[in-house]
Amino acid sequence: MAIGVFDSGIGGLSIHRELAARLPDADLIYLADQAMTPYGGRSGEDIVALTRAGCDRLFNEGCDLVILACNTAAAVALRRLQQTWLPDRRRENGRAVNVLGIIVPTIEAATGLPWEQEAEPTSDKIERLDILGIFCTPATAASRVYEIEIDKRRQDLAVFSEPCPGLASAIESDASEELLAEQIRDHVAALTRRIGRSPDRAILGCTHYEITAHLFRSALPPGTPLIHQPGATAEAALGYLRRHPEFSPGSGGLRRFLTTGHAGRQNGLAERFWGGPLIFEHT
Ligand code: DGL
């Protein structure tokens, strides 16, 4: 059986690359919903329906485990699908299938705490706030998932999400470095103005943005730590596979890249990031 990796477009390749590095023999099938990208400005209902369709396709391709390599899908759709759709899908399939997100491992990396460890609310004065800036799509920012979940665990961590409308589409459509650098500088400046100072740490909370991490690094004050969502997600997936031997990642080293958009090569930005040609099949 194989592991599926799903995103609205090429952003999830940032997660896929880390998984492939850690699991060279696993069978991995990537699906980009490029016919419908971007998700970040869509309604919640749309995002739930598209994410369900993407997972369904990957299950039908033989994946047992799907990783939503998309913050927007994970923030808006994952809980709904786990509660309302997956139990039926498991019954229909007659085999174990599951969908994992990327927000839980990212929050564990940001807080330094296991997910289960929520803090008792305290009325003590907090002496110093560590400020965490999150660059993400409008839908992820509107969900407030990072603010809500981090606040349950670390009240000394103040979270500011900065929606970056249009940035994922610009990356998806191979915009020039200059244009991307300018957009990213504007988003960093907007967040800095809103906070009143620079964030102490940042998360690129849209998997597309990892492809331009070097541009975020230059726009933020030198040395600002970036919490690495792809690494955290890949490690969490490995831990999950160890705890759940019923999900076999396969052993043929299969690499398939599917898209609901146009078959063929991907854009230059994605291929430079990936480190070689990426040939997608239409599904
Ligand atoms: N890469 C996605 C994310 O992590 C979605 C970008 C989009 O489709 O707007 O949020």
Side-chain angles (χ1 to χ4, degrees), residues 38 41 137-138 163-173 175 179-180 183 187 209:
T137 65
C164 308
L167 184 55
S169 320
I171 294 169
E172 192 70 37
S173 57
L179 193 97
L180 293 171
Q183 282 196 24
H187 291 305
Y209 303 170

Side-chain angles (χ1 to χ4, degrees), residues 7-8 11 37-40 69-72 137 140 168 205-208:
D7 183 37
S8 65
T37 195
Y39 282 10
C70 174
N71 286 266
T72 309
T137 65
T140 301
C206 166
T207 52
H208 280 71

Side-chain angles (χ1 to χ4, degrees), residues 132-136 140-141 146-147 159-163 191 194:
L132 183 60
I134 304 194
F135 298 95
C136 58
T140 301
Y146 282 105
E147 283 84 342
V159 179
F160 290 83
S161 293
E162 182 64 24
L191 178 69
R194 197 147 59 81

Side-chain angles (χ1 to χ4, degrees), residues 104-123:
V104 169
T106 308
I107 289 180
E108 288 184 327
T111 58
L113 297 171
W115 184 250
E116 303 69 38
Q117 197 172 326
E118 292 188 12
E120 289 297 321
T122 171
S123 53

